[in-house]
Amino acid sequence: MDILNFCANNYLGLSSHPEVINAGLDTLEKYGAGLSSVRFICGTQNIHKDLEEKIAHFHRREDAILYASCFDANAGIFEALLTPEDAVLSDELNHASIIDGIRLCKANKYRYKHMDMQDLESKLQDAQKYRLRLVATDGAFSMDGDIAPLKEICNLSQKYNAIVFVDECHATGFLGPNGRGTDELLGVMDQVAIINSTLGKALGGAAGGYTTGPKALIDLLRQRSRPYLFSNSLPPAVVGCASKALDLLMENNAIAQSMAAKTTRFRSKMAAAGFTISGNNHPICPVMLGDARLASLMADDMLKKGIYVIGFSYPVVPKGKARIRVQISAVHSEEDIDRCVETFIEVGRKHGALP
């Protein structure tokens, strides 16, 4: 039986694209399996510099720096940038890597209620006593599929003289007219100072992360960011795959634009069937079920019928908010999406999730 994967971060389907695979093979043959070194010794080759330049160009920023993962990028930025005289304000539902990165720094820490601009403003007012204020948010939140109100965040940050940092792991490649992310989608590319994102989801799906922003910041990170300084450089094959994925995306935005219609198709059909889908027009489509056992049993039965999805429950999500997280990909056909919906309806009725 063929299995349809509806739980991967392979948003654009590029992890199996023949040109991406061939680019990885070419760099593997030319540069070997790895460079056996950190970047500042002998781990920097022209392919690394070229990819950093390409990332900066894609995001319309001055410079970029590569990491082994976006977890490392998030672990490396706050400690290097912020001092005990500064403040960082973080959305309470930010990714674990942002939370861990903030824990490593000595700045004064504020946590504002999820996407609550009134609470953020109150905390920005309190943080005026500090030298520098940095507002940190996910662009798209991976558990709920909702999108940060970046226009409002940027407006408040301008009002209270704060820097805006956005983690774009679940947005890069497919949100916005050209797939540049939530800042492009919401028209605030010139107001978001720092972007961290990944090469391990839409951009090839292998590994790697990066920070892109002002050149002065990137220069600082090259000198002070510990995950960058003390981790081996990205393997050549990973660099080659990601570089080709970016080429494909910048050559033609059709693949990024195709996501919107497919996402709408799944969300509208599931809602019409009686399911509650969290989030807002994002290809992460959490099917809210509430009960952890129900989510697990339904996911098991979905797999038996050829649809691969995973149930999420506490402690990954709050108690009482168990769900099956569905992720739409550009390589899903309309028939694939309809088959997934039909299977959800069949399994949902079996387990009492639908009447």
Side-chain angles (χ1 to χ4, degrees), residues 14-28 47 51 54 199-207 234-249:
L14 294 179
S15 64
S16 56
H17 193 288
E19 290 187 46
V20 173
I21 294 170
N22 287 333
L25 291 172
D26 290 343
T27 47
L28 180 66
I47 53 173
L51 179 55
K54 197 173 291 186
L199 305 173
K201 293 181 171 60
L203 301 182
L234 273 183
V238 172
V239 175
C241 288
S243 185
K244 177 54 69 174
L246 272 171
D247 287 343
L248 293 171
L249 190 56

mmCIF file of all heavy atoms in Angstrom, residues 14-28 47 51 54 199-207 234-249:
data_model
loop_
_atom_site.group_PDB
_atom_site.id
_atom_site.type_symbol
_atom_site.label_atom_id
_atom_site.label_comp_id
_atom_site.label_asym_id
_atom_site.label_seq_id
_atom_site.Cartn_x
_atom_site.Cartn_y
_atom_site.Cartn_z
ATOM 1 N N LEU A 14 11.001 19.947 -2.152
ATOM 2 C CA LEU A 14 12.331 20.043 -2.759
ATOM 3 C C LEU A 14 13.314 18.995 -2.240
ATOM 4 O O LEU A 14 14.365 18.797 -2.850
ATOM 5 C CB LEU A 14 12.901 21.453 -2.540
ATOM 6 C CG LEU A 14 12.153 22.584 -3.243
ATOM 7 C CD1 LEU A 14 12.799 23.927 -2.933
ATOM 8 C CD2 LEU A 14 12.113 22.353 -4.753
ATOM 9 N N SER A 15 12.991 18.323 -1.145
ATOM 10 C CA SER A 15 13.937 17.333 -0.621
ATOM 11 C C SER A 15 14.117 16.157 -1.576
ATOM 12 O O SER A 15 15.138 15.460 -1.517
ATOM 13 C CB SER A 15 13.477 16.823 0.747
ATOM 14 O OG SER A 15 12.249 16.134 0.643
ATOM 15 N N SER A 16 13.159 15.950 -2.468
ATOM 16 C CA SER A 16 13.267 14.872 -3.451
ATOM 17 C C SER A 16 13.326 15.398 -4.882
ATOM 18 O O SER A 16 13.191 14.624 -5.837
ATOM 19 C CB SER A 16 12.080 13.905 -3.304
ATOM 20 O OG SER A 16 10.844 14.604 -3.413
ATOM 21 N N HIS A 17 13.551 16.692 -5.043
ATOM 22 C CA HIS A 17 13.636 17.283 -6.381
ATOM 23 C C HIS A 17 14.933 16.817 -7.054
ATOM 24 O O HIS A 17 16.014 16.890 -6.457
ATOM 25 C CB HIS A 17 13.621 18.804 -6.274
ATOM 26 C CG HIS A 17 13.387 19.503 -7.572
ATOM 27 N ND1 HIS A 17 14.334 19.553 -8.579
ATOM 28 C CD2 HIS A 17 12.308 20.186 -8.050
ATOM 29 C CE1 HIS A 17 13.861 20.236 -9.598
ATOM 30 N NE2 HIS A 17 12.624 20.629 -9.307
ATOM 31 N N PRO A 18 14.869 16.333 -8.275
ATOM 32 C CA PRO A 18 16.070 15.780 -8.923
ATOM 33 C C PRO A 18 17.223 16.770 -9.034
ATOM 34 O O PRO A 18 18.387 16.385 -8.885
ATOM 35 C CB PRO A 18 15.567 15.336 -10.302
ATOM 36 C CG PRO A 18 14.236 15.988 -10.492
ATOM 37 C CD PRO A 18 13.671 16.185 -9.132
ATOM 38 N N GLU A 19 16.927 18.038 -9.289
ATOM 39 C CA GLU A 19 18.002 19.024 -9.393
ATOM 40 C C GLU A 19 18.676 19.261 -8.043
ATOM 41 O O GLU A 19 19.890 19.483 -7.967
ATOM 42 C CB GLU A 19 17.475 20.340 -9.966
ATOM 43 C CG GLU A 19 17.083 20.273 -11.435
ATOM 44 C CD GLU A 19 16.732 21.643 -11.992
ATOM 45 O OE1 GLU A 19 17.489 22.598 -11.738
ATOM 46 O OE2 GLU A 19 15.694 21.743 -12.673
ATOM 47 N N VAL A 20 17.896 19.219 -6.975
ATOM 48 C CA VAL A 20 18.460 19.381 -5.627
ATOM 49 C C VAL A 20 19.339 18.185 -5.282
ATOM 50 O O VAL A 20 20.456 18.338 -4.755
ATOM 51 C CB VAL A 20 17.326 19.556 -4.591
ATOM 52 C CG1 VAL A 20 17.879 19.543 -3.163
ATOM 53 C CG2 VAL A 20 16.563 20.851 -4.852
ATOM 54 N N ILE A 21 18.867 16.987 -5.606
ATOM 55 C CA ILE A 21 19.651 15.780 -5.341
ATOM 56 C C ILE A 21 20.954 15.790 -6.130
ATOM 57 O O ILE A 21 22.036 15.502 -5.597
ATOM 58 C CB ILE A 21 18.827 14.523 -5.668
ATOM 59 C CG1 ILE A 21 17.631 14.401 -4.703
ATOM 60 C CG2 ILE A 21 19.693 13.267 -5.603
ATOM 61 C CD1 ILE A 21 16.637 13.339 -5.097
ATOM 62 N N ASN A 22 20.877 16.139 -7.393
ATOM 63 C CA ASN A 22 22.082 16.177 -8.232
ATOM 64 C C ASN A 22 23.083 17.221 -7.747
ATOM 65 O O ASN A 22 24.304 16.994 -7.806
ATOM 66 C CB ASN A 22 21.710 16.434 -9.687
ATOM 67 C CG ASN A 22 21.068 15.229 -10.349
ATOM 68 O OD1 ASN A 22 21.323 14.089 -9.948
ATOM 69 N ND2 ASN A 22 20.231 15.454 -11.346
ATOM 70 N N ALA A 23 22.589 18.356 -7.265
ATOM 71 C CA ALA A 23 23.486 19.378 -6.730
ATOM 72 C C ALA A 23 24.223 18.855 -5.499
ATOM 73 O O ALA A 23 25.419 19.127 -5.313
ATOM 74 C CB ALA A 23 22.697 20.642 -6.388
ATOM 75 N N GLY A 24 23.509 18.092 -4.664
ATOM 76 C CA GLY A 24 24.154 17.489 -3.508
ATOM 77 C C GLY A 24 25.219 16.483 -3.899
ATOM 78 O O GLY A 24 26.312 16.442 -3.307
ATOM 79 N N LEU A 25 24.931 15.677 -4.914
ATOM 80 C CA LEU A 25 25.907 14.697 -5.395
ATOM 81 C C LEU A 25 27.148 15.374 -5.971
ATOM 82 O O LEU A 25 28.283 14.942 -5.736
ATOM 83 C CB LEU A 25 25.259 13.791 -6.440
ATOM 84 C CG LEU A 25 24.192 12.823 -5.938
ATOM 85 C CD1 LEU A 25 23.500 12.145 -7.111
ATOM 86 C CD2 LEU A 25 24.807 11.774 -5.016
ATOM 87 N N ASP A 26 26.938 16.456 -6.718
ATOM 88 C CA ASP A 26 28.057 17.177 -7.323
ATOM 89 C C ASP A 26 28.994 17.748 -6.264
ATOM 90 O O ASP A 26 30.228 17.623 -6.377
ATOM 91 C CB ASP A 26 27.540 18.316 -8.217
ATOM 92 C CG ASP A 26 26.869 17.800 -9.491
ATOM 93 O OD1 ASP A 26 27.085 16.612 -9.830
ATOM 94 O OD2 ASP A 26 26.139 18.581 -10.130
ATOM 95 N N THR A 27 28.422 18.378 -5.246
ATOM 96 C CA THR A 27 29.269 18.961 -4.201
ATOM 97 C C THR A 27 29.920 17.874 -3.344
ATOM 98 O O THR A 27 31.043 18.041 -2.872
ATOM 99 C CB THR A 27 28.470 19.923 -3.302
ATOM 100 O OG1 THR A 27 27.232 19.313 -2.921
ATOM 101 C CG2 THR A 27 28.169 21.226 -4.028
ATOM 102 N N LEU A 28 29.229 16.764 -3.164
ATOM 103 C CA LEU A 28 29.816 15.640 -2.425
ATOM 104 C C LEU A 28 31.062 15.116 -3.137
ATOM 105 O O LEU A 28 32.106 14.883 -2.518
ATOM 106 C CB LEU A 28 28.779 14.525 -2.279
ATOM 107 C CG LEU A 28 29.209 13.258 -1.527
ATOM 108 C CD1 LEU A 28 29.482 13.570 -0.061
ATOM 109 C CD2 LEU A 28 28.130 12.182 -1.649
ATOM 110 N N ILE A 47 31.729 27.491 -1.426
ATOM 111 C CA ILE A 47 30.303 27.143 -1.429
ATOM 112 C C ILE A 47 29.588 27.688 -0.189
ATOM 113 O O ILE A 47 28.409 28.061 -0.252
ATOM 114 C CB ILE A 47 30.084 25.619 -1.539
ATOM 115 C CG1 ILE A 47 30.869 24.865 -0.457
ATOM 116 C CG2 ILE A 47 30.431 25.122 -2.934
ATOM 117 C CD1 ILE A 47 30.568 23.374 -0.405
ATOM 118 N N LEU A 51 26.625 30.479 -0.459
ATOM 119 C CA LEU A 51 25.294 30.227 0.091
ATOM 120 C C LEU A 51 24.893 31.351 1.042
ATOM 121 O O LEU A 51 23.733 31.798 1.034
ATOM 122 C CB LEU A 51 25.246 28.877 0.801
ATOM 123 C CG LEU A 51 23.906 28.498 1.454
ATOM 124 C CD1 LEU A 51 22.753 28.563 0.449
ATOM 125 C CD2 LEU A 51 23.984 27.108 2.086
ATOM 126 N N LYS A 54 23.819 34.192 -1.007
ATOM 127 C CA LYS A 54 22.529 33.899 -1.647
ATOM 128 C C LYS A 54 21.375 34.066 -0.657
ATOM 129 O O LYS A 54 20.305 34.593 -1.000
ATOM 130 C CB LYS A 54 22.565 32.475 -2.204
ATOM 131 C CG LYS A 54 21.498 32.158 -3.212
ATOM 132 C CD LYS A 54 21.729 30.779 -3.836
ATOM 133 C CE LYS A 54 22.964 30.760 -4.722
ATOM 134 N NZ LYS A 54 23.121 29.470 -5.438
ATOM 135 N N LEU A 199 17.459 25.599 6.804
ATOM 136 C CA LEU A 199 17.571 24.947 5.501
ATOM 137 C C LEU A 199 16.952 23.551 5.548
ATOM 138 O O LEU A 199 16.929 22.853 4.543
ATOM 139 C CB LEU A 199 19.049 24.842 5.095
ATOM 140 C CG LEU A 199 19.830 26.156 5.090
ATOM 141 C CD1 LEU A 199 21.309 25.894 4.852
ATOM 142 C CD2 LEU A 199 19.276 27.109 4.040
ATOM 143 N N GLY A 200 16.461 23.148 6.703
ATOM 144 C CA GLY A 200 16.014 21.781 6.928
ATOM 145 C C GLY A 200 14.527 21.546 6.747
ATOM 146 O O GLY A 200 14.031 20.460 7.057
ATOM 147 N N LYS A 201 13.808 22.532 6.241
ATOM 148 C CA LYS A 201 12.378 22.350 6.000
ATOM 149 C C LYS A 201 12.081 22.587 4.516
ATOM 150 O O LYS A 201 12.283 21.707 3.697
ATOM 151 C CB LYS A 201 11.568 23.245 6.941
ATOM 152 C CG LYS A 201 11.705 22.813 8.404
ATOM 153 C CD LYS A 201 10.904 23.664 9.342
ATOM 154 C CE LYS A 201 10.870 23.103 10.755
ATOM 155 N NZ LYS A 201 12.187 22.965 11.402
ATOM 156 N N ALA A 202 11.636 23.790 4.155
ATOM 157 C CA ALA A 202 11.276 24.035 2.754
ATOM 158 C C ALA A 202 12.489 24.046 1.824
ATOM 159 O O ALA A 202 12.377 23.685 0.654
ATOM 160 C CB ALA A 202 10.514 25.349 2.629
ATOM 161 N N LEU A 203 13.652 24.451 2.335
ATOM 162 C CA LEU A 203 14.817 24.656 1.469
ATOM 163 C C LEU A 203 15.702 23.418 1.384
ATOM 164 O O LEU A 203 16.898 23.458 1.659
ATOM 165 C CB LEU A 203 15.632 25.865 1.959
ATOM 166 C CG LEU A 203 14.867 27.192 1.991
ATOM 167 C CD1 LEU A 203 15.778 28.314 2.445
ATOM 168 C CD2 LEU A 203 14.266 27.505 0.618
ATOM 169 N N GLY A 204 15.121 22.312 1.005
ATOM 170 C CA GLY A 204 15.897 21.098 0.787
ATOM 171 C C GLY A 204 15.686 20.018 1.818
ATOM 172 O O GLY A 204 15.875 18.841 1.536
ATOM 173 N N GLY A 205 15.333 20.406 3.035
ATOM 174 C CA GLY A 205 14.934 19.433 4.036
ATOM 175 C C GLY A 205 16.044 18.632 4.679
ATOM 176 O O GLY A 205 15.782 17.644 5.368
ATOM 177 N N ALA A 206 17.311 19.008 4.487
ATOM 178 C CA ALA A 206 18.403 18.195 5.029
ATOM 179 C C ALA A 206 18.807 18.663 6.426
ATOM 180 O O ALA A 206 18.527 18.001 7.425
ATOM 181 C CB ALA A 206 19.601 18.240 4.080
ATOM 182 N N ALA A 207 19.476 19.800 6.498
ATOM 183 C CA ALA A 207 19.972 20.324 7.770
ATOM 184 C C ALA A 207 20.409 21.754 7.537
ATOM 185 O O ALA A 207 20.362 22.264 6.419
ATOM 186 C CB ALA A 207 21.142 19.479 8.287
ATOM 187 N N LEU A 234 28.930 23.245 7.793
ATOM 188 C CA LEU A 234 27.927 22.414 7.126
ATOM 189 C C LEU A 234 28.584 21.501 6.092
ATOM 190 O O LEU A 234 29.434 21.942 5.321
ATOM 191 C CB LEU A 234 26.898 23.291 6.418
ATOM 192 C CG LEU A 234 25.696 23.779 7.216
ATOM 193 C CD1 LEU A 234 24.764 24.567 6.311
ATOM 194 C CD2 LEU A 234 24.955 22.639 7.872
ATOM 195 N N PRO A 235 28.172 20.231 6.036
ATOM 196 C CA PRO A 235 28.713 19.318 5.020
ATOM 197 C C PRO A 235 28.443 19.834 3.611
ATOM 198 O O PRO A 235 27.372 20.403 3.340
ATOM 199 C CB PRO A 235 27.956 18.007 5.280
ATOM 200 C CG PRO A 235 27.499 18.095 6.690
ATOM 201 C CD PRO A 235 27.227 19.546 6.934
ATOM 202 N N PRO A 236 29.385 19.651 2.698
ATOM 203 C CA PRO A 236 29.225 20.174 1.334
ATOM 204 C C PRO A 236 27.938 19.745 0.649
ATOM 205 O O PRO A 236 27.297 20.561 -0.034
ATOM 206 C CB PRO A 236 30.454 19.619 0.610
ATOM 207 C CG PRO A 236 31.488 19.505 1.682
ATOM 208 C CD PRO A 236 30.731 19.086 2.910
ATOM 209 N N ALA A 237 27.527 18.496 0.808
ATOM 210 C CA ALA A 237 26.306 18.041 0.139
ATOM 211 C C ALA A 237 25.080 18.818 0.621
ATOM 212 O O ALA A 237 24.191 19.146 -0.170
ATOM 213 C CB ALA A 237 26.106 16.548 0.366
ATOM 214 N N VAL A 238 25.036 19.121 1.916
ATOM 215 C CA VAL A 238 23.925 19.904 2.463
ATOM 216 C C VAL A 238 23.932 21.305 1.871
ATOM 217 O O VAL A 238 22.882 21.852 1.494
ATOM 218 C CB VAL A 238 24.013 19.955 4.003
ATOM 219 C CG1 VAL A 238 22.989 20.930 4.569
ATOM 220 C CG2 VAL A 238 23.815 18.571 4.599
ATOM 221 N N VAL A 239 25.129 21.909 1.770
ATOM 222 C CA VAL A 239 25.259 23.244 1.196
ATOM 223 C C VAL A 239 24.806 23.237 -0.262
ATOM 224 O O VAL A 239 24.069 24.130 -0.706
ATOM 225 C CB VAL A 239 26.714 23.736 1.311
ATOM 226 C CG1 VAL A 239 26.885 25.086 0.603
ATOM 227 C CG2 VAL A 239 27.122 23.854 2.773
ATOM 228 N N GLY A 240 25.231 22.226 -1.015
ATOM 229 C CA GLY A 240 24.859 22.138 -2.420
ATOM 230 C C GLY A 240 23.358 22.004 -2.623
ATOM 231 O O GLY A 240 22.778 22.655 -3.503
ATOM 232 N N CYS A 241 22.726 21.171 -1.806
ATOM 233 C CA CYS A 241 21.276 20.977 -1.908
ATOM 234 C C CYS A 241 20.529 22.266 -1.591
ATOM 235 O O CYS A 241 19.607 22.666 -2.314
ATOM 236 C CB CYS A 241 20.827 19.869 -0.957
ATOM 237 S SG CYS A 241 21.305 18.203 -1.446
ATOM 238 N N ALA A 242 20.912 22.928 -0.502
ATOM 239 C CA ALA A 242 20.220 24.151 -0.095
ATOM 240 C C ALA A 242 20.417 25.259 -1.123
ATOM 241 O O ALA A 242 19.489 26.025 -1.411
ATOM 242 C CB ALA A 242 20.722 24.595 1.274
ATOM 243 N N SER A 243 21.616 25.350 -1.667
ATOM 244 C CA SER A 243 21.896 26.382 -2.658
ATOM 245 C C SER A 243 21.033 26.190 -3.905
ATOM 246 O O SER A 243 20.472 27.154 -4.444
ATOM 247 C CB SER A 243 23.384 26.353 -3.031
ATOM 248 O OG SER A 243 23.706 27.407 -3.907
ATOM 249 N N LYS A 244 20.897 24.951 -4.346
ATOM 250 C CA LYS A 244 20.054 24.677 -5.517
ATOM 251 C C LYS A 244 18.585 24.938 -5.201
ATOM 252 O O LYS A 244 17.836 25.457 -6.046
ATOM 253 C CB LYS A 244 20.254 23.238 -5.983
ATOM 254 C CG LYS A 244 19.374 22.807 -7.153
ATOM 255 C CD LYS A 244 19.470 23.730 -8.361
ATOM 256 C CE LYS A 244 20.807 23.623 -9.034
ATOM 257 N NZ LYS A 244 20.827 24.426 -10.310
ATOM 258 N N ALA A 245 18.151 24.599 -3.997
ATOM 259 C CA ALA A 245 16.764 24.862 -3.614
ATOM 260 C C ALA A 245 16.461 26.357 -3.681
ATOM 261 O O ALA A 245 15.404 26.766 -4.165
ATOM 262 C CB ALA A 245 16.494 24.321 -2.214
ATOM 263 N N LEU A 246 17.394 27.172 -3.204
ATOM 264 C CA LEU A 246 17.207 28.622 -3.278
ATOM 265 C C LEU A 246 17.185 29.098 -4.729
ATOM 266 O O LEU A 246 16.397 29.981 -5.085
ATOM 267 C CB LEU A 246 18.311 29.335 -2.500
ATOM 268 C CG LEU A 246 18.046 29.559 -1.009
ATOM 269 C CD1 LEU A 246 19.302 30.074 -0.321
ATOM 270 C CD2 LEU A 246 16.887 30.528 -0.789
ATOM 271 N N ASP A 247 18.042 28.524 -5.557
ATOM 272 C CA ASP A 247 18.042 28.886 -6.983
ATOM 273 C C ASP A 247 16.667 28.639 -7.596
ATOM 274 O O ASP A 247 16.123 29.493 -8.301
ATOM 275 C CB ASP A 247 19.091 28.066 -7.741
ATOM 276 C CG ASP A 247 20.510 28.502 -7.440
ATOM 277 O OD1 ASP A 247 20.697 29.615 -6.923
ATOM 278 O OD2 ASP A 247 21.440 27.707 -7.711
ATOM 279 N N LEU A 248 16.118 27.461 -7.331
ATOM 280 C CA LEU A 248 14.814 27.106 -7.899
ATOM 281 C C LEU A 248 13.728 28.058 -7.420
ATOM 282 O O LEU A 248 12.838 28.455 -8.186
ATOM 283 C CB LEU A 248 14.461 25.662 -7.529
ATOM 284 C CG LEU A 248 15.336 24.564 -8.137
ATOM 285 C CD1 LEU A 248 15.013 23.219 -7.513
ATOM 286 C CD2 LEU A 248 15.156 24.498 -9.656
ATOM 287 N N LEU A 249 13.805 28.423 -6.157
ATOM 288 C CA LEU A 249 12.795 29.303 -5.582
ATOM 289 C C LEU A 249 12.890 30.712 -6.155
ATOM 290 O O LEU A 249 11.869 31.352 -6.443
ATOM 291 C CB LEU A 249 12.967 29.338 -4.058
ATOM 292 C CG LEU A 249 11.873 30.011 -3.233
ATOM 293 C CD1 LEU A 249 10.515 29.392 -3.523
ATOM 294 C CD2 LEU A 249 12.207 29.908 -1.755
#
